[in-house]
Every structure is written in structure tokens, then in C-alpha cells.
């Protein structure tokens, strides 16, 4: 599963309520071999279905775990969750398919 956080309203949420299929793509910054101009890029795309998590306790628990990736400051994390969890939804993407590729421009 891949977890995301977002606001409670907007186009993303409206779209997911109509159709929960989604994809998520990441790619590296690319590299150029010495003496060449072509950029080599690696990417991964994940396909799956997204569940909207709206339960207050689950939002707090998952937000805490996500926050730990960025800081160890417990006081800061707890304050952010207290102040903003009521405005937050968590999206849980259940991964169904993953593919990737390496592309070298020519």
C-alpha cells in the first residue's frame, strides 16, 4: 500500500468518489554519461485502487507514521496532528500492478 494525505475537499476527492482507479508515477532526476548529451531516466508507475480513509483515529495514526519520515521531533508532530488532522484525509492506494522503465534519449 501507498499512503497519501490531502485535504477533505477538491477535484481529487470528487474524482476518487466517482472512480477509485489511480496511478502514481515517480522518476529519478536522470543522468548524463560523460561526453554525451542524452539524458537517461528511470521511472516506476504503480496502478491500483484508492480507498479514502476518513476515520479520525486512523488519520492520526497514519499521519504520525508519515511524519516520522521527515522529523523525529515528537512535540512538533503531535502539534501538527492536533491542529490539522480535522482538515486531513488519508488516501490508501492498494497496489495492483507495478512497472518501470529506463529511457535514454537519443
Amino acid at each position: 500500500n501507498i499512503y497519501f494525505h490531502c485535504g477533505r475537499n477538491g477535484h481529487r476527492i470528487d474524482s476518487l468518489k466517482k472512480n477509485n482507479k489511480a496511478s502514481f508515477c515517480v522518476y529519478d532526476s536522470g543522468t548524463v554519461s560523460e561526453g554525451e548529451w542524452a539524458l537517461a531516466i528511470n521511472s516506476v508507475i504503480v496502478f491500483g485502487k484508492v480507498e479514502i480513509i476518513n476515520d479520525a483515529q486512523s488519520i492520526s495514526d497514519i499521519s504520525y507514521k508519515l511524519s516520522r519520515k521527515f522529523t523525529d521531533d515528537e512535540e512538533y508532530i503531535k502539534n501538527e496532528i492536533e491542529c490539522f488532522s480535522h482538515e486531513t484525509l488519508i488516501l490508501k492506494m492498494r497496489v495492483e500492478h507495478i512497472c518501470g522503465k529506463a529511457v535514454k534519449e537519443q
Side-chain angles (χ1 to χ4, degrees):
N1 298 317
I2 301 173
Y3 293 89
F4 305 90
H5 65 86
C6 64
R8 292 192 164 269
N9 301 302
H11 177 73
R12 178 182 298 122
I13 299 304
D14 293 343
S15 295
L16 286 171
K17 287 178 180 176
K18 292 177 185 172
N19 184 343
N20 68 343
K21 291 181 180 179
S23 63
F24 177 64
C25 181
V26 294
Y27 55 92
D28 65 11
S29 59
T31 59
V32 177
S33 298
E34 189 174 331
E36 294 187 15
W37 66 269
L39 187 63
I41 299 173
N42 299 300
S43 65
V44 174
I45 188 164
V46 177
F47 299 89
K49 292 183 180 166
V50 176
E51 172 187 350
I52 299 171
I53 298 176
N54 197 14
D55 169 64
Q57 187 60 52
S58 295
I59 289 170
S60 292
D61 293 345
I62 295 167
S63 294
Y64 176 81
K65 291 173 184 172
L66 289 172
S67 297
R68 292 289 300 186
K69 178 177 178 162
F70 301 103
T71 183
D72 291 331
D73 186 339
E74 294 290 326
E75 185 78 23
Y76 175 80
I77 293 171
K78 288 178 183 177
N79 184 59
E80 289 293 300
I81 291 171
E82 278 182 32
C83 291
F84 299 108
S85 64
H86 68 282
E87 299 175 8
T88 303
L89 287 180
I90 298 291
L91 305 178
K92 177 182 178 180
M93 182 180 210
R94 295 183 187 273
V95 176
E96 295 178 347
H97 180 72
I98 301 173
C99 60
K101 65 181 175 180
V103 175
K104 184 172 182 182
E105 294 181 346
Q106 294 188 25

